[in-house]
Amino acid sequence: MVGAGQFATWTAVATAGVVFLLGVVVAVALRGQLDLLSLGERPAQHAGVHVGRLRVVSIIAVAVLTSAAVAYAGLISFVGLVVPHALRLVIGPSHRGLIPLSALGGAVLLSLADVAARTVIPFADMPIGIFTAVVGGPVFFILLRQSLKKQGAR
């Protein structure tokens, strides 16, 4: 028999999953318009994109995806910020491949970090945040350096 606590847990997991899938569907639907927006507001408007509406819908989709990830995985899901930026360095700016690969890459990275946290030291559960920070810190540093180079700083 399922207790109230177990029912609440499974309901929360199912809800987070549904919310996440809804966010992914919206993100995939917007990828072409996001590619146009990355050319600039004017070119996107000339191509028929309603920039204001796209921004609002994108922000809502990102908030929904982030809230579902944090509800399901906790605060370690900040890796979701690192993975798309790291992948953009490798595959380029197109959202067509970036959105699905970001979802897959984040899942793979968190899975590997979880395995490392559980197995690096026998019989000790290390905080998974240590391993995600090992990846996240250098990636953010590389992004910061590239951003400064583009602005003309050393």
Side-chain angles (χ1 to χ4, degrees):
M1 182 160 198
V2 177
Q6 289 176 327
F7 182 75
T9 300
W10 285 111
T11 303
V13 169
T15 302
V18 169
V19 168
F20 177 76
L21 287 176
L22 177 65
V24 169
V25 167
V26 171
V28 168
L30 295 177
R31 64 187 179 189
Q33 293 180 33
L34 290 171
D35 282 340
L36 289 172
L37 184 59
S38 50
L39 298 172
E41 284 188 27
R42 282 205 132 132
Q45 284 176 337
H46 289 298
V49 174
H50 298 281
V51 174
R53 184 174 55 192
L54 176 62
R55 285 193 177 172
V56 169
V57 172
S58 297
I59 289 170
I60 291 170
V62 167
V64 165
L65 286 167
T66 303
S67 64
V70 171
Y72 183 76
L75 293 177
I76 58 168
S77 58
F78 85 94
V79 174
L81 298 173
V82 173
V83 171
H85 291 295
L87 285 172
R88 189 175 298 236
L89 294 173
V90 177
I91 68 169
S94 174
H95 291 86
R96 186 164 305 283
L98 187 63
I99 290 173
L101 285 176
S102 292
L104 181 62
V108 168
L109 180 60
L110 285 176
S111 296
L112 291 174
D114 184 53
V115 168
R118 295 172 190 267
T119 59
V120 167
I121 298 175
F123 305 109
D125 246 356
M126 296 178 67
I128 192 171
I130 292 171
F131 297 98
T132 56
V134 165
V135 174
V139 170
F140 277 130
F141 179 72
I142 291 168
L143 291 170
L144 178 63
R145 278 194 79 193
Q146 286 187 344
S147 176
L148 291 174
K149 281 183 184 179
K150 285 181 183 177
Q151 295 174 4
R154 289 184 175 217

